[in-house]
Amino acid sequence: MPEQSPRPTLESVAERAGVSRATASRVVNGGEGVREALREKVRRAVDELGYVPNPAARTLVTRHNRAVAVVVAEPGSRLFSDPFFAQQLRGIGRELSAADHQMVLMMVEDQHDYERVGRYLAGGHVDGALLFSLHQPDPLPDMARKVGLPFVVGGRPGWPGAESDHDLVYVDSDNRGGARLAVGHLRALGRTAIATVTGPLDQTSSMDRLDGYRDVLPDGDPALIAEGDFTPDGGGRAMAELLARRPHLDAVFAASDAMASGALRVLREAGRRVPEDVAVVGFDDVESIAAWTEPPLTTVRQDIEEMGRLMAGLLLRRLAGAGAGAGAGARPGAAGGAAGGLPSGLRPGGPTSVITPTRLVLRASA
């Protein structure tokens, strides 16, 4: 069996290029201060020898890990069963991969996990963080801020002082406007007892969708509102609760497709025809749910994958600003930046936000 050639070293690259080891190190690890002619010699030596840079050495030189923590404030059972998260993570992953960054996925199963996540974020393993599915109050933004870690939030922040925090960056969809579309459609169909299944009311997306429902029905019956948890079982329980309170309801706006699927099951078991007896509208247009329910679900579409892409793009732009000397709290500009463009909404003295549009997708359930 032929002997393997020794793995090329940085010293052998320097010798082949005719430069010092320090110069070779700066070139292969992305450092500055090397003339272009010498850079080209080092690059040619790297190609000829097949040298692979040491990631740890590169981090020491550049002070960048090229890694981003994606922290989801949900247990793994929810994260891996809900296709909403799969679409969002796909958008994040594609944007980070295009920029040669790794995604480090972290979940919060219970309160004890916050200490573990905090230690990791403070340990210098990642350059920034994406925080989403936050419940109020949630310590994750303060934890990142205290260790000087740039971060972007998924969803409108609802903690005290967020509306005037000019360093804050977040991505959300037009939850309130989307809910108005859904409920307005049900009312236009002539439905008069329109119920809603909300998401957990410690999340701003749920509160915004409930506000949109109330915008259309300001004098609505409080007994037609039931809280769910963004899961099919939670939607089913809330639907059963609504039917027990108001058996003659004739429409339901569920604040997620997953909850709408549970509501459809309970309505079917109760002998209520959809849409003849009860019209149903969901929210999300999750690809693996809305078109496959029975009947197919009329729903409010938000571009979930695009929101993930925008979150990652905003963070990458923030990291680029910090790398140029703007500091960990550098605020992105009003537009431009990552691939595909990053439209921003700026309010004087407030956070940088990107709000993606929603639209109603009509199918057979309403």
Side-chain angles (χ1 to χ4, degrees):
M1 183 175 179
E3 288 187 12
Q4 273 192 322
S5 301
R7 183 176 178 178
T9 65
L10 189 59
E11 287 77 8
S12 58
V13 169
E15 183 179 354
R16 174 70 65 96
V19 300
S20 69
R21 186 187 187 284
T23 296
S25 175
R26 283 198 297 274
V27 174
V28 300
N29 292 311
E32 302 296 330
V34 180
R35 297 197 313 274
E36 185 56 35
L38 294 181
R39 284 186 179 278
E40 183 54 37
K41 287 183 177 181
V42 173
R43 292 188 194 111
R44 190 161 52 246
V46 166
D47 290 341
E48 291 170 356
L49 295 172
Y51 175 75
V52 178
N54 183 318
R58 172 170 288 183
T59 298
L60 285 172
V61 171
T62 65
R63 298 185 180 181
H64 293 304
N65 297 280
R66 305 193 74 79
V68 168
V70 178
V71 188
V72 187
E74 299 288 353
S77 57
R78 169 96 196 278
L79 177 66
F80 294 115
S81 64
D82 191 334
F84 173 92
F85 292 112
Q87 286 182 238
Q88 195 158 40
L89 290 172
R90 186 165 62 206
I92 291 170
R94 285 177 174 172
E95 189 75 359
L96 292 180
S97 294
D100 195 25
H101 278 61
Q102 301 303 312
M103 177 172 66
V104 180
L105 181 60
M106 307 188 76
M107 294 156 285
V108 178
E109 295 278 349
D110 55 41
Q111 289 298 314
H112 299 294
D113 283 324
Y114 283 109
E115 183 181 348
R116 172 183 57 83
V117 171
R119 286 197 309 269
Y120 189 86
L121 296 181
H125 308 291
V126 293
D127 301 321
L130 300 173
L131 314 175
F132 63 93
S133 202
L134 302 183
H135 296 256
Q136 304 306 325
D138 199 300
L140 286 170
D142 274 346
M143 290 163 57
R145 200 188 306 272
K146 284 176 181 176
V147 299
L149 192 69
F151 65 92
V152 172
V153 177
R156 180 178 66 82
W159 55 86
E163 285 299 309
S164 59
D165 185 350
H166 70 273
D167 265 347
L168 193 57
V169 183
Y170 71 91
V171 175
D172 203 0
S173 70
D174 184 9
N175 290 298
R176 189 166 184 165
R180 286 197 295 263
L181 288 174
V183 182
H185 173 69
L186 291 170
R187 194 170 67 170
L189 292 175
R191 306 296 166 137
T192 57
I194 303 173
T196 185
V197 176
T198 77
L201 293 177
D202 61 353
Q203 291 188 292
T204 55
S205 59
S206 303
M207 294 187 289
D208 290 346
R209 292 172 199 180
L210 178 57
D211 285 343
Y213 168 87
R214 286 172 169 157
D215 288 343
V216 180
L217 302 171
D219 301 317
D221 181 355
L224 288 171
I225 300 173
E227 185 174 352
D229 60 2
F230 285 145
T231 70
D233 286 345
R237 287 191 297 270
M239 188 73 252
E241 183 181 330
L242 289 167
L243 286 173
R245 292 185 204 156
R246 296 291 185 266
H248 301 298
L249 63 85
D250 60 5
V252 178
F253 164 52
S256 77
D257 290 349
M259 293 193 299
S261 70
L264 287 169
R265 174 180 53 79
V266 169
L267 288 168
R268 186 164 53 249
E269 292 170 354
R272 307 296 295 275
R273 298 171 302 161
V274 177
E276 293 84 355
D277 300 326
V278 181
V280 178
V281 177
F283 200 111
D284 289 333
D285 199 23
V286 171
E287 57 192 22
S288 59
I289 298 178
W292 296 98
T293 57
E294 181 55 43
L297 187 65
T298 290
T299 187
V300 176
R301 185 176 196 275
Q302 58 175 339
D303 195 335
I304 301 166
E305 184 172 336
E306 175 67 0
M307 286 194 293
R309 188 195 73 80
L310 288 167
M311 284 177 64
L314 280 166
L315 181 62
L316 290 169
R317 188 171 68 174
R318 194 164 213 192
L319 295 176
R331 185 184 184 192
L342 294 171
S344 304
L346 295 176
R347 293 187 298 274
T352 299
S353 61
V354 178
I355 308 299
T356 62
T358 53
R359 63 182 177 87
L360 191 65
V361 177
L362 298 176
R363 296 191 181 95
S365 69

